[in-house]
Amino acid sequence: MSKQQRPKAVIVIFGATGDLAKRKLFPSIYRLVQNGKIGEDFAVVGTGRRQWTNDVFRENVKKSLGSNISSHADLDTFTSHFFYHPLDVSEPSSYLGLEALLHELEGYYKTGGNRIFYLAMAPDFFGIIANNLKASGLKDAAGWTRLVIEKPFGNDLPSAKALNKEIRAVFDEEQIYRIDHYLGKEMVQNIEVIRFANGIFEHLWNNRFISNVQITSSESLGVEDRSRYYDNSGAVRDMVQNHMLQMVALLAMEPPINLTTEEIRSEKVKVLRALRQMEVNGVDDYFVRGQYGDGETGIGYRKEAPQLSASKTETFVAGKIMIDNYRWAGVPFYIRTGKRMAKKSIKIVVEFKDIPMNLYYKNKQEKHPNLLVINIQPNEGITLYLNAKKAGAGTDVKPIKLAYNNNGINGINTPEAYEKLIYDCMIGDMTNFTHWNEVAQSWSFVDPILKLWESDQPDFPNYAAGSMGPLEADKLLEKDGFHWWPIVED
């Protein structure tokens, strides 16, 4: 990649002293530089309430890189592009010094006046920062300006609408990059390719040939040091409204007329609009919740922190999603996500219908349906389960696997999702960022769940740490004649 092809910008990180910046943003920017996707024409400005100097900030950046460092020789050169500006986001006067610093850096690094404002902070500050960026003139750069926002975008549909209205008063939709880091994962992006580049799948990708789809995103860890955030969020807001529904949309969308951002987003919105809406009194027919208690892998959620002792926040959600359109009518999309589960895994299982009369099985219990398994994390890859004759005499059948492992191919190992998304933002590719219409439709779908569960007293805890969730999640599928496929393959 030539220097002329590398994006130029000053990246301003609000909340640069926080956990997200240290764990994800700094290492991702480092890898972009090491991989040659960013040249010398960039600068990173960290802001925060702490009275740090440039040197203190750079030392913290170095520490955040950990084992990611490929060469200590170029570490000082890399961190020399990092600058710190103490800032109170609620104080308009704090932004005046930031404007002077950006002008100086833009002249020195020849960034063309391009600016990215990355809000790695609580959403309560999004509107405040946007308004101050406008009032201080920081938004009106010589080049392009982009605003990157982390989830959650609101707490429900009304609050999301209010937040969007506030931000849109300052930034156009084309300038707003709402991050969903799942969309930066290599195998999530591969869903479209698996479908639309392979006739063997796309011709069968409908209710005539698919019996159900299962999406699992399980975490083996608990809430760790995120208890304050998580207890106000819960699994629905933290996972279902964004990550899980985005994967449903990618799996169920119609083929776009081309691969432009606008067309792909348009097809995803159509899926989200077709989700069967639930009334509050009908939520229990489609969704179950859970909270982990003491188990083999740790203590219960209510023991993680003193303020959680009587919490009714869900740490697990399983649901059946129906898509009422021509392609998917009658096919359940089952989702489950939770903390303190048996294994960490993100996996999609597409179960195909059996043939009308299978001669090779004596009873229904012996049948092995064809499965397409997409492993997003770990062991990224694709596995297709087929049936074949066992070696030797007779007609006994056994399932076999055709597998492709992304980790085993040189040069295409899965990149860190934030690395991919930061680069996409720098080059102006919005395909893997969520449009406001996607956010609004997702909130519209989950709001009845939140409304019921906030007013209803759950019987928690109802699953042990280290298990795969409450028994009710299994019953959700059993009543339809299905079962959860294991997240760990034989």
Side-chain angles (χ1 to χ4, degrees):
M1 181 180 291
S2 67
K3 185 175 181 180
Q4 288 71 29
Q5 294 173 301
R6 296 169 180 168
K8 307 174 182 180
V10 174
I11 305 171
V12 182
I13 301 176
F14 290 88
T17 60
D19 188 56
L20 175 65
K22 288 183 283 189
R23 287 191 304 110
K24 299 294 184 181
L25 305 187
F26 301 151
S28 294
I29 295 170
Y30 178 76
R31 282 192 292 269
L32 286 172
V33 172
Q34 291 300 302
N35 293 333
K37 292 187 175 181
I38 300 178
E40 293 296 315
D41 307 323
F42 83 98
V44 177
V45 177
T47 75
R49 297 179 69 106
R50 299 179 188 178
Q51 297 298 310
W52 284 0
T53 63
N54 289 341
D55 290 338
V56 172
F57 183 46
R58 290 167 182 172
E59 283 302 312
N60 277 271
V61 172
K62 290 179 182 179
K63 291 177 183 177
S64 74
L65 301 180
S67 60
N68 290 291
I69 301 172
S70 59
S71 169
H72 287 273
D74 62 2
L75 192 55
D76 288 336
T77 301
F78 171 72
T79 56
S80 70
H81 290 257
F82 284 70
F83 301 83
Y84 187 78
H85 179 76
L87 184 139
D88 179 353
V89 297
S90 302
E91 177 53 54
S93 61
S94 295
Y95 292 78
L96 300 178
L98 180 59
E99 169 70 3
L101 175 60
L102 294 192
H103 274 301
E104 179 184 345
L105 295 176
E106 286 165 351
Y108 183 81
Y109 287 105
K110 304 293 189 293
T111 61
N114 301 325
R115 297 176 179 178
I116 294 175
F117 298 107
Y118 198 119
L119 308 192
M121 301 187 70
D124 297 346
F125 298 107
F126 290 174
I128 295 171
I129 294 173
N131 287 323
N132 279 317
L133 289 175
K134 179 180 180 180
S136 63
L138 281 161
K139 174 188 172 285
D140 303 318
W144 45 254
T145 304
R146 290 164 189 158
L147 182 74
V148 182
I149 301 176
E150 284 282 340
K151 72 175 181 70
F153 195 87
N155 294 308
D156 52 20
L157 183 57
S159 63
K161 284 182 176 178
L163 178 57
N164 190 62
K165 183 179 180 180
E166 193 170 14
I167 293 174
R168 284 294 303 276
V170 180
F171 292 89
D172 297 331
E173 180 65 32
E174 293 72 25
Q175 296 176 300
I176 303 172
Y177 288 68
R178 300 177 188 84
I179 275 208
D180 184 328
H181 70 267
Y182 269 46
L183 297 182
K185 295 180 182 294
E186 188 72 19
M187 289 309 299
V188 171
Q189 295 177 9
N190 234 324
I191 292 172
E192 296 175 48
V193 181
I194 293 168
R195 286 189 55 190
F196 303 138
N198 295 288
I200 188 175
F201 296 130
E202 183 56 24
H203 294 320
L204 307 179
W205 211 259
N206 55 61
N207 51 15
R208 292 180 57 201
F209 301 102
I210 292 176
S211 65
N212 72 88
V213 179
Q214 300 178 16
I215 307 171
T216 297
S217 179
S218 59
E219 295 184 54
S220 57
L221 297 177
V223 291
E224 306 301 308
D225 56 355
R226 298 174 68 227
S227 61
R228 184 176 302 236
Y229 158 76
Y230 195 86
D231 203 52
N232 291 323
S233 171
V236 173
R237 290 186 176 95
D238 189 48
M239 292 293 298
V240 176
Q241 183 271 332
N242 36 73
H243 307 322
M244 304 302 282
L245 289 184
Q246 281 292 319
M247 286 193 285
V248 169
L250 287 170
L251 287 164
M253 64 186 276
E254 293 295 320
I257 60 174
N258 56 50
L259 296 178
T260 61
T261 298
E262 294 75 15
E263 295 301 330
I264 292 173
R265 283 177 160 183
S266 175
E267 296 302 336
K268 287 165 63 183
V269 169
K270 288 177 184 177
V271 173
L272 297 172
R273 288 176 58 195
L275 300 182
R276 182 178 297 173
Q277 298 294 309
M278 298 169 290
E279 299 294 333
V280 172
N281 57 10
V283 167
D284 288 341
D285 294 330
Y286 293 90
F287 277 82
V288 301
R289 58 177 162 166
Q291 185 188 95
Y292 63 85
D294 294 348
E296 293 182 1
T297 61
I299 59 175
Y301 177 74
R302 292 179 175 180
K303 297 179 182 178
E304 296 270 13
Q307 70 269 22
L308 305 179
S309 60
S311 173
K312 63 176 187 177
T313 297
E314 77 285 354
T315 62
F316 174 95
V317 175
K320 178 172 74 171
I321 297 174
M322 303 302 293
I323 302 172
D324 293 330
N325 62 18
Y326 185 81
R327 180 185 288 260
W328 295 112
V331 178
F333 282 66
Y334 299 109
I335 63 170
R336 61 175 170 174
T337 180
K339 292 188 174 295
R340 283 278 184 230
M341 296 176 71
K343 296 287 184 180
K344 179 178 177 63
S345 177
I346 306 172
K347 175 174 289 191
I348 296 166
V349 179
V350 179
E351 180 178 336
F352 292 91
K353 291 181 178 179
D354 198 5
I355 58 178
M357 182 177 167
N358 197 322
L359 302 175
Y360 290 93
Y361 295 102
K362 298 181 178 65
N363 58 66
K364 185 177 181 180
Q365 284 68 37
E366 290 183 354
K367 291 184 179 179
H368 301 286
N370 298 134
L371 304 175
L372 174 66
V373 179
I374 304 172
N375 287 306
I376 295 170
Q377 186 179 319
N379 303 320
E380 294 88 347
I382 311 160
T383 304
L384 179 62
Y385 285 79
L386 303 174
N387 292 311
K389 179 182 175 296
K390 288 184 179 179
T395 57
D396 290 341
V397 171
K398 68 174 183 179
I400 61 171
K401 297 190 293 185
L402 302 179
Y404 159 80
N405 191 323
N406 205 22
N407 290 337
I409 308 298
N410 291 331
I412 62 171
N413 284 348
T414 302
E416 166 61 43
Y418 275 92
E419 179 184 342
K420 165 70 174 170
L421 294 174
I422 290 172
Y423 182 71
D424 283 353
C425 178
M426 295 187 76
I427 64 175
D429 185 350
M430 305 186 79
T431 306
N432 296 308
F433 295 83
T434 54
H435 191 277
W436 161 246
N437 291 339
E438 298 172 62
V439 175
Q441 291 295 332
S442 297
W443 278 123
S444 178
F445 178 75
V446 304
D447 270 2
I449 306 172
L450 296 171
K451 187 174 182 181
L452 174 66
W453 288 355
E454 286 170 358
S455 62
D456 192 30
Q457 185 62 41
D459 184 18
F460 286 162
N462 61 350
Y463 73 97
S467 70
M468 284 306 294
L471 292 176
E472 288 77 10
D474 296 327
K475 295 176 182 177
L476 186 69
L477 276 68
E478 288 172 2
K479 66 184 180 182
D480 294 334
F482 303 120
H483 63 83
W484 291 107
W485 292 100
I487 60 172
V488 179
E489 299 175 42
D490 296 332

